[in-house]
Each structure stands twice: as C-alpha cells, then as structure tokens.
Amino acid sequence: MSTLWIPLNHPRRTSLLIREKIVEGFKRGLVALEGLIAHGRGECFDYLIGESTQPFALRAIEAAVAALLLAKYPVISVNGNTAALVPKEIVELAREVSAKIEVNLFYRTREREEAIAMWLREHGAEEVLGVGEDASAIIPELFSERRRVSPRGILIADVVLVPLEDGDRTEALRKMGKTVIAIDLNPLSRTARTATITIVDNIVRAMPLMVKKAREMKKLSKTELQEVLRNYNNNQILQEALKHILNRLSELSQSKLTLL
Ligand code: PTJ
C-alpha cells in the first residue's frame, strides 16, 4: 500500500507510517481485527512515554539480550502485530541469539498462522514453529488459544520473548520456570508486571536495538552476561517507567500548552 499520501513534513509522520504497517498487515491476513485496537492502545502509551526509547527500556534491552545469549533454548514468540511491524528484525534477532521462531496467536486461525509463517519466511526465516499440527503441546493452566505451543519450541524453551502479549500466558510460562521477556508499551499491563524482564518501548524501536545489542554483547563472556542479569531489577524498571510518565505529565501540566 502506498504511503505517499502522508506528507513528508507531517508532524505525526512516523506514527502514521507505523499505523499503515499494521493496516497493511491486516490486509495481508497477518493481523487480527482486534490487533488494530491493541495497536491504538500502544500508540496512546507511546504518546505518554514521549515516542522515544528511554533509559529504563535500554537497561531492559541489555538484560533481555543477556538472557537470550545465555539461554540454552531461546524462543521468539510471534503474533500478528509483531509479524506486521518487525518481520526482518525477528529473523535477525533469532539468528544472532540462535533462537527458534514460533507463531503463537491469541485469535488463532489456521489461515493467519500460515500467512504469518509465510511472511516470516519471505523475510529470511528458515524454520517457523507453531503452525497447524506442530502446535500440539499444551501450556498447563492456560485456557486461551495461546496455550497451544510447539513441543519443539515454547514448551521446552528456557527463555521466551513475548512481544505485545495479552496477559495470562506470561504468568503460565513463569509458573513453568521459564524466563519471560516482554515488550509492552503499557507498564501497567499484567504482562509487563509478571514478566521477568519488561521492555517498556515500542516494538518498532526496541527490536532493531535488540539486534544491535545482540551483535555487540555476543563478544562478552558468560560471566559478564551473568553480571548484567544479576544487576537487573524489573520492579525498579517498571517504577522508573511510571515515574517517567508521571514527571512528563507533571511538567507538561505546568507549562504553556503548546504543541508537543
Ligand atoms: O495476533 P494475535 O491473535 O496473537 O493477537 C495479538 C493482540 C496484540 C491483538 C493480542 O495479543 C491482544 O489483544 O493484546 P492486548 O491485550 O491488546 O495487549 C497488547 C499490549 O501491547 C498492550 O499493552 C499494548 O499497549 C501493547 N502494544 C501495542 N502496540 C505496541 C505495544 N507494545 C509495544 N509496541 C507496540 N507497537
């Protein structure tokens, strides 16, 4: 789809271009209708954060990459919105940290599973798990369609990256003893609060940074990576994200209300 209609100097151009990627993903059969609403919720939190990667997100990204590099069996879980927004980066990150890629959908349909897998292959993925009969294992105590996972993927993973998640699964995966990395613009969401590491940032900014960090941090020793994880405190990161939003709103509420 052409984005020529968005003027080059439009003040909200970046945001509009991202939105078009989601719409395009919907038209291609990757994104669920509900995914459009989820994107709007994300846009709102991005506005509050200031639409830029903040120090608390950078620290979470470093910890996340350390966890992925230290993992024995890392898996990147992909849903419709993630596939539409960052297909190239999913493949690149998986390559850098030797992770498996698995499709896992809340609004699961066979058509969408296959469309997402094909889209990822078009972007260089060699293997995509979780499609059709491959999603034959069940995550205990989870009742949504997200419970169906690949016995060669999420079921046996020790570290799982779950971008744009919808709640219950993070808790269920943690109960299974897995390290869960979330990317979620909403620091108040259940996913953000139950993940081991929460990256409060837009996935379109966070994923390229993760790829870059993975390339740099691959050179670190195991002890150095473990040190990064030891110094990481997710609760503190979430508090910093909330304080950042609070301070921003407080400053804005005291200044003359002009355009941001
Ligand atoms: O493709 P499916 O069927 O697996 O469905 C995917 C969605 C995203 C529709 C499903 O997981 C869902 O309904 O999610 P929720 O409960 O709306 O949660 C999505 C979370 O992602 C919310 O907290 C949003 O703020 C956040 N979010 C939305 N867009 C972005 C984002 N976080 C980071 N980057 C974004 N671009």
Side-chain angles (χ1 to χ4, degrees), residues 87-103:
K88 180 171 80 69
E89 288 80 3
I90 293 165
V91 176
E92 284 175 354
L93 184 64
R95 202 167 287 150
E96 293 303 328
V97 302
S98 305
K100 297 271 179 205
I101 299 175
E102 176 165 344
V103 176

Side-chain angles (χ1 to χ4, degrees), residues 32 34-35 38-39 41-42 45 79-81 85 104-108 112 146 164-166 183-186 189 201-203:
E34 294 81 353
H39 185 75
R41 177 148 58 180
F45 278 99
N79 63 20
N81 290 44
L85 291 175
N104 184 276
L105 305 179
F106 186 72
Y107 303 100
R108 197 182 261 278
R112 222 149 59 77
R146 282 220 191 281
L164 276 75
E165 188 71 8
D166 45 78
I183 305 176
D184 194 332
L185 275 160
N186 178 3
S189 77
D201 198 11
N202 197 318
I203 194 171

